[in-house]
Amino acid sequence: MVSPVRRCSRTACGRPAVATLTYVYADSTAVLGPLATYAEPHCYDLCADHSERLTAPRGWEVVRLTDGSAPAHPSGDDLEALANAVREAARPHDRGTGAAGVGRQADPMEVARRGHLRVLRSPES
């Protein structure tokens, strides 16, 4: 019986494959990308360790394609923007006057407000 998990193509390595290696001989390029949908005869499946340590022959170029479905690691800017948005949503809003001293017009459909949530009057009433 054949295992449904594809294994690394390297000799004596039985770890699960996570990437597929393809050689483009005309361009002297080794292309390492996400695991192919199905096994190709002239492609090599590699585990995480072997795909990270992959080197190409002298004069060849290695092109590493990233998988778009993998979650991106958030940067410091992303986390700071998220924190600022949460702080802004939690900040109580002044119902009286705005920063310039101009009265804020209330929505005639709004009955009550709590934080960023609003209770609206039914259009029929």
Side-chain angles (χ1 to χ4, degrees):
M1 183 169 153
V2 177
S3 171
V5 177
R6 289 179 19 208
R7 302 288 177 193
C8 183
S9 298
R10 296 291 301 259
T11 306
C13 182
R15 292 185 291 250
V18 297
T20 300
L21 172 66
T22 307
Y23 290 107
V24 182
Y25 294 99
D27 296 333
S28 300
T29 305
V31 180
L32 183 67
L35 189 62
T37 308
Y38 54 91
E40 293 280 340
H42 299 289
C43 294
Y44 304 93
D45 295 335
L46 299 176
C47 66
D49 290 339
H50 287 122
S51 63
E52 288 174 9
R53 293 185 290 157
L54 175 73
T55 59
R58 191 178 325 209
W60 282 56
E61 181 182 359
V62 177
V63 175
R64 295 178 187 270
L65 303 175
T66 58
D67 185 4
S69 66
H73 297 290
S75 69
D77 293 339
D78 294 338
L79 295 175
E80 185 176 349
L82 179 61
N84 289 339
V86 169
R87 280 189 208 106
E88 180 65 30
R91 183 176 296 140
H93 296 286
D94 186 15
R95 290 189 151 277
T97 59
V102 178
R104 188 174 129 194
Q105 291 288 21
D107 184 0
M109 297 295 290
E110 187 176 323
V111 176
R113 185 176 192 117
R114 182 168 182 169
H116 65 282
L117 302 175
R118 298 184 302 169
V119 177
L120 301 178
R121 184 176 294 124
S122 173
E124 292 86 31
S125 59

